[in-house]
Amino acid sequence: MRCYTFLAAAAPLVLALPAPAPEPVAAPAPKPLPLPQGVETDPITGLVSGLINGVLNIGSLSSAVPEIISDLGNVLDSAGVVTEAIANGTILGTDVPAVVQKLFQAVQPTATPTSIQQAITQAAGAFGITSANQSPPPEQDILSNALTLVLDGFTSSDLQAVIQGITANSAANVNPPVPFSKTFYNTVSGNAPFDIAESALRAAIYIPLGFTWGVEQPVLMSPGTGATGVGTFSSNIGKLLSGTSFADPVYLNVPQNLLNDAQANAEYVAYALQYLYAMTSKKPAIVTWSQGSLNAQWAFKYWPSIPKIVTDHIAISPGYHGTVLAYILCPGFTTANAIACVPSVIQQEYNSNFITRLRSNGGDSAYVPTTTVYSLTDEIVQPQEGTAASGFLNDARNVGVSNTFLQGACLAEPAGLLYTHEGVLYNPVAYALVVDALQHPGPGSFSRVSGQCGAIVAPGLSLSDVIETEALIPLAVLNIFAYSPKVDSEPVLKAYATH
């Protein structure tokens, strides 16, 4: 076993202590956002003049934003001007979704990656990530980064649908109700109450046509911020699991793409796991990405009956301590928060009330056998290195935990190089650990899958799969800008969350 794979079950002395927190990282001092003073340095003259003169509205969007933007300089300029105008109030909050949508429609890819390695390098490069030995630069322009990815050819059918104003992956699925004879939903003593109607919770579960209803183990696929379950996993882990004889993936498409209160998002996880167990009589597992891992941990903590019915939790790029980079979207002052600060993002700040309450009283330890996989070059969740990583989970309950830090476990090998927040979804070691966890008691073991360090993507995935997976970030950014209303403060903690 390599020194950078942290196996909680095998190393109790290490995990008896909480993971050390990094030094506090102060958000950079906000720069003033004055109205643009001239147009001579910005080639997008129609857009800029419209913003300066305060004439940009829904009716004039088609003339104010160019039909085609195919130059990186123009992409960066236009993104910067729009961001300033939102903060200055030149673009009204109700008009922001249309303005940003128009920008995404205008950006036309100039090329598409021709190899998997090129795609991985380009995707990381959009965030200034050039070395597997360094975390991403702390200052990012998320709108510019997302548009740069689109310009470089990172797109998907889901992204194109949302750009055209079409809802991708419905949260209005028609699923059979649970028989009245089952102890279920709000009838389990000791569990937190559900505030969301059962019909809405059930409708968020997408069950593929080939679902075996218990012949194979059901595996709930729970997405991250700004995404759906189908959109997150269909080009990576979900695609691969659907071809196996031991796992039956089911997808969670939470309304508003997990941008609402994370406590409400956790209700969908808590319900879906109970639903799958009630309907199949087989204990489910859960695979999560990003915020989905927090939602699952919250569900395990406040619905204590659920850990008893779940065999495994495999967490991809989790942020159990939130992220010090959340200030990029939620800087803490009203004009900047108005750009892209949504409830579940502000809740993922490193020391938010939500994160602090989740981690209290043993919430920083696993409730079920848990496998975590995370990358130093994650552009969304930081810190992500070693035992101080936000993705690191303790094992005070001795249920079994393995924490795999890719750049340490696969040191200087292909699977330990440049993997973004979303890139871990197609990492070969990550997928091998998913399979290992599902096929063995306890968490996935790196020692059993270390041979995958020599690959760059999971077997069975193609260049188009990598491109679609990397397109999750432009999709999430577009959904975040479209969400309304933006917020200045966290949602209030639920009355049941007292410990």
Side-chain angles (χ1 to χ4, degrees):
M1 185 177 302
R2 306 186 186 201
C3 60
Y4 281 95
T5 296
F6 305 97
L7 291 176
L13 293 179
V14 174
L15 292 185
L17 298 174
E23 291 297 320
V25 178
K31 298 178 181 179
L33 297 172
L35 283 171
Q37 298 300 308
V39 300
E40 64 274 14
T41 61
D42 195 321
I44 314 296
T45 54
L47 176 61
V48 174
S49 62
L51 294 174
I52 292 175
N53 296 322
V55 299
L56 188 62
N57 54 51
I58 297 300
S60 62
L61 278 175
S62 59
S63 60
V65 178
E67 290 298 321
I68 296 177
I69 303 175
S70 57
D71 174 83
L72 179 59
N74 288 355
V75 165
L76 300 180
D77 284 343
S78 57
V81 170
V82 167
T83 300
E84 283 193 358
I86 296 170
N88 286 325
T90 309
I91 301 176
L92 297 178
T94 53
D95 293 341
V96 168
V99 175
V100 175
Q101 181 185 25
K102 187 69 176 182
L103 270 180
F104 273 85
Q105 289 172 345
V107 174
Q108 299 297 312
T110 54
T112 301
T114 57
S115 70
I116 289 175
Q117 187 59 66
Q118 181 191 18
I120 293 173
T121 302
Q122 275 190 294
F127 296 89
I129 306 168
T130 58
S131 170
N133 300 317
Q134 295 180 335
S135 55
E139 293 190 22
Q140 300 281 348
D141 182 336
I142 196 69
L143 181 58
S144 294
N145 295 345
L147 291 171
T148 298
L149 284 169
V150 176
L151 186 69
D152 288 340
F154 291 93
T155 189
S156 65
S157 56
D158 283 356
L159 176 57
Q160 289 303 314
V162 174
I163 287 174
Q164 299 306 319
I166 302 169
T167 300
N169 302 316
S170 173
N173 302 287
V174 179
N175 296 314
V178 175
F180 287 111
S181 60
K182 300 282 186 177
T183 302
F184 182 65
Y185 188 51
N186 269 329
T187 63
V188 182
S189 176
N191 282 357
F194 286 90
D195 290 333
I196 300 170
E198 183 178 4
S199 57
L201 295 170
R202 187 169 65 246
I205 306 169
Y206 173 70
I207 302 175
L209 288 176
F211 187 61
T212 63
W213 296 97
V215 175
E216 299 170 9
Q217 182 183 23
V219 181
L220 183 65
M221 314 298 288
S222 184
T225 307
T228 64
V230 173
T232 296
F233 295 104
S234 60
S235 59
N236 43 73
I237 297 171
K239 172 183 176 178
L240 296 175
L241 287 181
S242 65
T244 69
S245 60
F246 57 84
D248 216 352
V250 172
Y251 301 88
L252 201 54
N253 294 337
V254 177
Q256 297 297 317
N257 303 292
L258 255 66
L259 300 177
N260 287 333
D261 184 351
Q263 298 168 104
N265 298 337
E267 290 192 26
Y268 288 91
V269 175
Y271 181 90
L273 288 169
Q274 293 184 81
Y275 178 87
L276 291 174
Y277 181 60
M279 296 298 286
T280 67
S281 299
K282 182 164 284 190
K283 292 182 177 181
I286 180 170
V287 176
T288 59
W289 176 59
S290 192
Q291 186 200 144
S293 306
L294 289 172
N295 302 151
Q297 191 75 352
W298 189 273
F300 293 149
K301 181 175 183 178
Y302 293 111
W303 282 265
S305 73
I306 294 178
K308 301 172 186 176
I309 64 167
V310 174
T311 65
D312 287 278
H313 178 198
I314 302 100
I316 307 298
S317 302
Y320 292 114
H321 209 315
T323 173
V324 298
L325 299 182
Y327 71 81
I328 293 173
L329 297 181
C330 299
F333 55 106
T334 300
T335 54
N337 278 14
I339 299 173
C341 189
V342 301
S344 66
V345 169
I346 200 169
Q347 287 174 307
Q348 291 177 78
E349 289 183 340
Y350 196 75
N351 288 312
S352 70
N353 294 332
F354 174 79
I355 292 294
T356 300
R357 186 59 51 88
L358 173 64
R359 294 180 64 83
S360 67
N361 295 292
D364 59 351
S365 282
Y367 292 87
V368 302
T370 302
T371 305
T372 79
V373 191
Y374 51 92
S375 169
L376 175 67
T377 54
D378 187 315
E379 80 281 17
I380 304 297
V381 175
Q382 285 293 331
Q384 286 288 51
E385 182 173 8
T387 59
S390 185
F392 186 93
L393 200 60
N394 291 311
D395 191 20
R397 296 174 183 83
N398 294 314
V399 295
V401 176
S402 67
N403 297 284
T404 298
F405 167 45
L406 289 172
Q407 283 76 16
C410 296
L411 184 63
E413 294 184 80
L417 298 178
L418 295 177
Y419 287 90
T420 56
H421 186 63
E422 62 283 5
V424 182
L425 288 165
Y426 55 73
N427 180 276
V429 170
Y431 179 66
L433 284 166
V434 171
V435 173
D436 190 75
L438 294 177
Q439 293 195 303
H440 293 88
S445 170
F446 176 74
S447 64
R448 292 193 291 256
V449 305
S450 60
Q452 288 296 319
C453 281
I456 58 174
V457 296
L461 297 183
S462 65
L463 172 60
S464 62
D465 293 322
V466 170
I467 290 172
E468 288 194 20
T469 301
E470 291 292 348
L472 280 168
I473 295 305
L475 176 61
V477 170
L478 181 55
N479 284 330
I480 287 170
F481 273 85
Y483 181 93
S484 183
K486 304 301 190 295
V487 298
D488 276 332
S489 59
E490 285 185 62
V492 175
L493 291 173
K494 297 286 188 180
Y496 64 75
T498 59
H499 62 283

